[in-house]
Amino acid sequence: MNNMARTLPPFKIAATEELITAQSGLILFGECSLGLGLERWLDGDLPKPGSGHGFGAFQHAFPWC
């Protein structure tokens, strides 16, 4: 079994009474994806941009990072 590094998100999680949007949980998905090494996997296994000026696979999948 592989040892997985434990990382803490760069923000605090706390209960609140404020109204939030449905997309607020996406940050947890993004942090989990980064922690699992999705960036290395996407950029390593998918082809590089042909012109050298295009976006890599990770930038297409996660434009907010």
Side-chain angles (χ1 to χ4, degrees), residues 2-65:
N2 294 338
N3 290 333
M4 216 161 94
R6 292 183 179 215
T7 59
L8 294 174
F11 52 88
K12 292 184 179 183
I13 299 175
T16 181
E17 295 296 323
E18 295 180 31
L19 295 176
I20 55 175
T21 66
Q23 290 83 13
S24 61
L26 289 176
I27 189 70
L28 297 176
F29 169 74
E31 288 296 320
C32 180
S33 300
L34 293 175
L36 290 173
L38 186 64
E39 181 176 9
R40 281 191 319 271
W41 181 73
L42 283 175
D43 287 339
D45 286 353
L46 294 175
K48 305 285 184 244
S51 66
H53 296 289
F55 292 105
F58 185 74
Q59 284 85 13
H60 280 290
F62 289 89
W64 45 267
C65 284

